[in-house]
Amino acid sequence: VRKALAINSRTNGGNSLPVALNLNELAVIQLQLSQFTAAEQSAQSGLNILEALHLECTDPNVTRLMDTQARVQQVRGNYERATELYLKLLDTDRRQVGEKHLKYATHLLNYGTVQAAQGKLEEAKQTFKGAIAIMKADPHRPRHPNIIDGLANLGSVLGALGGFDAAGTGVQGAL
């Protein structure tokens, strides 16, 4: 990604769309490597480029970059900021792709993990159920791998709520 970033910066300019897309990929990798400050900075740089290009409402990578920012905030325990970011990016996803799109459902699933981390278990349960329903209804990807995460997260929340039979069903579905 860093090589692509260097090439695209030279070829297209440091504030170009290809650079913003490379920053999105870099931010995701940095997040996976637990390089949270770097991930946050890469995501913000990508968002700054998209905003400068007046693409903050239309480019699909806006919400992907915001998702990275929200996940960093969640890891840091800043659930209020993570919630703000998720509510804003989910609203943008609604306008860009609609509430039945896999991208919206994936971000909804990620938001549910913030709710669960805050102890808002009933809300998280409903959020997970909604995300899973959207994913299962997708005729092109009825067995998307994110459904596994959704079922596992739902099972965990149901277990925390004391619904051990339902939790077992959710976890079994994930398996």
Side-chain angles (χ1 to χ4, degrees), residues 65-79:
L65 289 160
M66 291 174 70
D67 181 72
T68 297
Q69 289 182 319
R71 291 166 67 193
V72 167
Q73 294 305 315
Q74 180 179 2
V75 167
R76 290 181 175 157
N78 190 351
Y79 303 126

Side-chain angles (χ1 to χ4, degrees), residues 12-113:
N12 302 300
N15 291 319
S16 63
L17 181 58
V19 168
L21 302 181
N22 292 150
L23 287 167
N24 180 41
E25 295 305 318
L26 180 61
V28 169
I29 291 168
Q30 290 166 327
L31 182 66
Q32 292 170 344
L33 293 172
S34 300
Q35 298 171 353
F36 302 119
T37 300
E40 184 176 38
Q41 291 170 349
S42 294
Q44 188 59 56
S45 295
L47 284 168
N48 290 345
I49 292 170
L50 293 175
E51 186 175 305
L53 296 172
H54 306 289
L55 298 173
E56 67 272 13
C57 295
T58 57
D59 191 277
N61 293 290
V62 168
T63 57
R64 293 181 179 115
L65 289 160
M66 291 174 70
D67 181 72
T68 297
Q69 289 182 319
R71 291 166 67 193
V72 167
Q73 294 305 315
Q74 180 179 2
V75 167
R76 290 181 175 157
N78 190 351
Y79 303 126
E80 285 184 33
R81 180 66 181 136
T83 296
E84 289 172 16
L85 286 164
Y86 274 117
L87 293 177
K88 184 176 178 182
L89 79 86
L90 286 166
D91 183 56
T92 302
D93 275 346
R94 273 187 210 96
R95 286 184 273 117
Q96 287 184 350
V97 296
E99 291 184 356
K100 296 186 187 294
H101 196 276
L102 180 62
K103 181 180 169 200
Y104 175 82
T106 299
H107 290 151
L108 190 62
L109 186 64
N110 290 348
Y111 175 48
T113 66

